[in-house]
Amino acid sequence: MKKRHIAFWIAFPISFVLVGAILIFLFDLTNGPLVLFILMLFSLVALAASSIILLNKKLLFRFIPWVSFVGVIVLLLSLSKPSVERRSATLFPNPEKTKVLQLVNGKVQGAYTKDKQVEVYAGIPYAKAPVGDLRWKATQPVEDWDGVKDCTYFAPKSMQSYGDPITGTLVEMYAEKGWHPDYSMHPNEPVSEDSLYLNIWRPASFEGKLPILVYIHGGSLTTGSSAFQEYNGETMARNGVIMITITYRLGIFGYFAHEDLLKENDGLSTGNYGLLDQIEALRWVNANAASFGGDVDNITIAGESAGSSSVSALCSSPLAKGLFKRAIGESSSIASFRAPHTFRSLDDALSTGKKIMKEFNVNSIEELRKVPATKLLTTQYSNSSMCVDGYALTKSPYEVYKAKENNEEALLNGYNVKEADAFVVPTFLFDPTNKNNIETRLADTFDKQAASEFMDEYRTEIEKDAFSTFNDIITAYWFMQPHRDWSYLAFDNGEDVYRYQFTKENGYLGTNHSGEMVYCYGNLDKTGKSFAYDQSDYDLSKTMVSYWANFVKSGNPNGEGLPTWEKMSAHNSPLLELGKEIAPIEEKAERAYRILDEWKNREAEKELNK
């Protein structure tokens, strides 16, 4: 046997297995259609066969299969991306339909869960489509419709860009702390400007009127969906709560501001269209509560991340007064002195609006309304913040609470341990924070004085682990302190306030941003991450669902068989730890709060002296 034949039969099986493994990994990354994966495997088999057939040919000919294979794989990978499909209201095909439900504006028909214990009505319109001349106008009430509307599928997401599937899978791998291949297809949801819809989960059988929970999704006010399984409402419905999730305008469609829009709307509003959508959704819920069995006098609003920022805004908006009773906020708030995110001044919003007009080379709002929605998504300017527009928000939420003009009667709110990691780690992925650069990064984020104070206060921690210490400080700034401020303000106004800190690690998101959602809404079994959870996770989830449901029902999370959750009795009251242990714990970021408070005061003084 020739030497090259011996080398071939040694190297080829190794190469074949290696290339096959790479294809399997790439297919998991791209999350493309199964047919493309089959074509990839067929190409691999063709490569093997042609390589054997051409074994005795000249080197040039033996390279032809490999060049062809690489070309085919590059082509298939370029085509390999998630499909776009409507998402069913249930997690299984061909569900049984519910009876027709008469609402104020028309009839709807939803779907049952498999055991027929819960009814789901998805994609119910709550407002006119904000398209054409209604783009960047205050939300308009929905019009009546004829016939029975099929509500067995979720409506499209609000306009947003699709994330890159490879990046998404890599982020999943980071969150999962390993590689857990998933070859089931995960299609993208369609997106549309016509997206003002809501979804209802309710028990199939009940007596009297049930409390209502209206959930507002997160996503930095630029992305997100009302159909994600993390806050599927089935478990809440099984616990005697009608749960509703809503969509609202996002990004440039929801938070674009311009002086001409103020004139067009008689000086009423600009820059808060997404917030106005949320208010209109609450109006719809109030008007239709009796139609779907809800108690109009017992409505709680809830949200996570930007959804929680929105909750704090709704608690501060005069337009939302009387539309709900209680509030739940998870991992964000703008009810804070100098809120660190999702909030900006009207001047900043208007300045950005002028830049956007110039970016798209238009001279009027009429011209900008004619720009296709998909092109508007390409804007380089962030539209991820609310502002004091004089209509939806007449004061900053901090000022509203200080004036005792907030809307909620009771507040349940809190945060996770590693909130900022998901934002900070990717930012410094190729240049991680260390002892040599942490002070510069702190100074860039705050000022030199604050950086010096942080270095002195956290010297021991920085010497031990500068990377984690920096993340902890940013977590305190972006998430923990805003919730502390919100809690203090609500408590000072005489509210019952319940605070938590989520500390339960697992094999997936754990205590990172949004890690608590699947627990408090009871959806561990719907995530497709069964490898990540053990019995302790399911036990904790059952307890948290009970806390959340009890709070929605009565304003008090406590109930029979649950560890006692003491309401706030003073500014320094303990929080409730929700983790391996469920017990009171002391606030751990007081040192950071002191430095942050002083820095914010300095910044405020600078602005006053300008």
Side-chain angles (χ1 to χ4, degrees):
M1 183 179 292
K2 296 181 179 179
K3 288 184 178 180
R4 80 176 185 192
H5 289 179
I6 296 174
F8 175 85
W9 289 112
I10 293 175
F12 183 76
I14 297 174
S15 302
F16 186 84
V17 171
L18 181 61
V19 171
I22 292 173
L23 286 181
I24 291 171
F25 179 64
L26 285 175
F27 181 68
D28 182 40
L29 287 181
T30 56
N31 192 23
L34 186 59
V35 63
L36 294 184
F37 182 57
I38 294 173
L39 289 174
M40 287 181 187
L41 294 180
F42 177 80
S43 300
L44 184 61
V45 172
L47 170 65
S50 56
S51 295
I52 294 172
I53 292 172
L54 297 175
L55 180 60
N56 293 314
K57 301 297 183 180
K58 293 181 178 180
L59 182 62
L60 177 64
F61 290 100
R62 298 204 306 273
F63 267 116
I64 292 176
W66 285 95
V67 173
S68 302
F69 175 74
V70 170
V72 169
I73 293 303
V74 169
L75 175 63
L76 292 177
L77 285 175
S78 68
L79 298 173
S80 185
K81 58 184 179 180
S83 58
V84 177
E85 299 177 16
R86 297 170 66 198
R87 183 169 294 184
S88 172
T90 59
L91 299 177
F92 58 94
N94 303 315
E96 183 176 343
K97 290 190 175 183
T98 65
K99 294 179 181 179
V100 173
L101 179 64
Q102 177 68 58
L103 300 172
V104 171
N105 301 105
K107 298 176 180 179
V108 296
Q109 188 173 33
Y112 284 109
T113 55
K114 274 189 176 179
D115 61 4
K116 295 188 66 175
Q117 296 301 302
V118 174
E119 298 174 355
V120 190
Y121 300 87
I124 303 174
Y126 70 79
K128 283 184 182 178
V131 299
D133 291 340
L134 293 183
R135 182 189 280 177
W136 301 310
K137 283 190 177 179
T139 324
Q140 302 296 306
V142 67
E143 295 179 338
D144 295 347
W145 61 83
D146 297 324
V148 179
K149 187 174 290 292
D150 179 11
C151 291
T152 59
Y153 285 88
F154 292 105
K157 298 190 294 185
S158 291
M159 285 301 298
Q160 58 193 272
S161 299
Y162 290 120
D164 174 61
I166 293 180
T167 301
T169 305
L170 291 173
V171 170
E172 289 270 299
M173 291 170 62
Y174 171 79
E176 294 170 6
K177 307 165 186 68
W179 182 39
H180 299 87
D182 180 4
Y183 298 113
S184 57
M185 293 299 96
H186 299 285
N188 284 324
E189 296 176 56
V191 298
S192 175
E193 272 195 274
D194 180 5
S195 64
L196 301 187
Y197 297 83
L198 53 78
N199 318 298
I200 300 174
W201 287 262
R202 71 170 189 174
S205 177
F206 59 92
E207 296 180 0
K209 296 181 290 185
L210 295 180
I212 302 169
L213 174 62
V214 180
Y215 184 86
I216 302 165
H217 71 75
S220 301
L221 300 181
T222 58
T223 64
S225 166
S226 66
F228 288 169
Q229 294 306 321
E230 285 83 353
Y231 36 82
N232 180 293
E234 180 180 337
T235 301
M236 276 293 168
R238 294 181 187 276
N239 280 265
V241 172
I242 294 175
M243 185 162 172
I244 298 173
T245 61
I246 69 172
T247 53
Y248 55 98
R249 280 174 282 183
L250 301 169
I252 191 173
F253 303 94
Y255 300 94
F256 169 74
H258 196 272
E259 290 176 354
D260 288 349
L261 288 170
L262 276 174
K263 299 173 186 176
E264 186 179 87
N265 292 311
D266 298 321
L268 288 181
S269 177
T270 189
N272 285 330
Y273 304 105
L275 182 59
L276 291 175
D277 293 342
Q278 296 164 15
I279 293 168
E280 186 61 33
L282 288 173
R283 289 176 178 149
W284 186 97
V285 170
N286 276 258
N288 285 272
S291 300
F292 56 75
D295 185 352
V296 72
D297 296 318
N298 199 4
I299 298 173
T300 298
I301 59 173
E304 186 272 341
S305 192
S308 184
S309 292
S310 298
V311 166
S312 61
L314 291 168
C315 289
S316 310
S317 172
L319 302 182
K321 187 170 290 292
L323 296 179
F324 62 94
K325 193 170 186 177
R326 291 180 282 272
I328 298 174
E330 303 165 32
S331 302
S332 277
S333 168
I334 60 172
S336 176
F337 181 57
R338 299 182 67 86
H341 55 74
T342 50
F343 190 69
R344 59 183 171 177
S345 69
L346 179 59
D347 286 344
D348 285 346
L350 294 175
S351 175
T352 300
K354 290 180 181 179
K355 294 174 183 176
I356 289 172
M357 295 281 279
K358 185 175 181 180
E359 178 185 27
F360 289 103
N361 195 30
V362 297
N363 298 309
S364 68
I365 294 298
E366 289 76 14
E367 290 182 38
L368 195 61
R369 284 195 173 111
K370 294 177 182 178
V371 175
T374 52
K375 185 175 181 179
L376 289 175
L377 286 176
T378 65
T379 178
Q380 63 180 305
Y381 298 104
S382 174
N383 292 273
S384 58
S385 299
M386 294 168 272
C387 62
V388 175
D389 62 346
Y391 181 57
L393 290 174
T394 55
K395 305 175 185 176
S396 73
Y398 180 80
E399 293 170 323
V400 169
Y401 275 86
K402 278 291 189 181
K404 301 184 185 300
E405 296 171 351
N406 52 300
N407 298 327
E408 83 283 5
E409 297 178 8
L411 174 65
L412 185 157
N413 77 119
Y415 46 78
N416 305 344
V417 176
K418 298 178 181 178
E419 293 277 13
D421 281 31
F423 306 93
V424 177
V425 172
T427 302
F428 300 115
L429 184 63
F430 299 107
D431 185 18
T433 302
N434 56 52
K435 290 185 290 185
N436 298 321
N437 61 26
I438 184 172
E439 187 167 6
T440 298
R441 288 181 179 172
L442 288 169
D444 290 342
T445 305
F446 307 108
D447 62 18
K448 290 184 178 180
Q449 182 176 335
S452 177
E453 291 171 353
F454 277 123
M455 293 298 293
D456 290 340
E457 187 65 50
Y458 288 86
R459 181 69 60 186
T460 302
E461 291 92 333
I462 290 170
E463 286 296 323
K464 183 178 179 181
D465 187 350
F467 176 86
S468 297
T469 304
F470 179 75
N471 294 355
D472 290 344
I473 291 170
I474 301 302
T475 290
Y477 170 47
W478 283 351
F479 300 100
M480 292 180 173
Q481 189 188 46
H483 275 282
R484 180 209 63 171
D485 289 355
W486 194 6
S487 296
Y488 284 12
L489 291 165
F491 173 78
D492 289 344
N493 289 349
E495 289 183 47
D496 286 348
V497 178
Y498 295 89
R499 303 195 297 162
Y500 73 85
Q501 183 175 33
F502 183 77
T503 64
K504 184 66 171 70
E505 290 295 350
N506 55 45
Y508 186 42
L509 289 175
T511 61
N512 286 276
H513 191 62
S514 79
E516 87 294 341
M517 283 194 301
V518 291
Y519 289 81
C520 58
Y521 299 105
N523 292 307
L524 294 177
D525 60 337
K526 297 182 179 68
T527 65
K529 310 291 182 184
S530 58
F531 62 84
Y533 310 114
D534 58 27
Q535 189 57 47
S536 67
D537 295 293
Y538 288 94
D539 292 342
L540 176 60
S541 178
K542 184 177 180 181
T543 298
M544 290 178 65
V545 167
S546 296
Y547 280 144
W548 263 241
N550 289 342
F551 182 81
V552 172
K553 293 173 183 177
S554 68
N556 186 337
N558 293 290
E560 185 178 353
L562 297 173
T564 301
W565 189 342
E566 296 288 352
K567 67 182 179 182
M568 194 173 174
S569 58
H571 279 193
N572 59 353
S573 291
L575 301 81
L576 186 71
E577 179 180 14
L578 297 171
K580 286 185 177 180
E581 303 292 332
I582 301 178
I585 56 172
E586 296 299 321
E587 177 67 71
K588 291 182 172 61
E590 290 291 351
R591 293 182 296 163
Y593 298 160
R594 175 182 56 77
I595 298 171
L596 290 168
D597 286 339
E598 293 172 356
W599 167 70
K600 287 184 176 183
N601 287 330
R602 288 197 300 274
E603 293 297 301
E605 288 179 9
K606 288 179 184 177
E607 290 187 2
L608 287 175
N609 294 327
K610 281 183 178 179

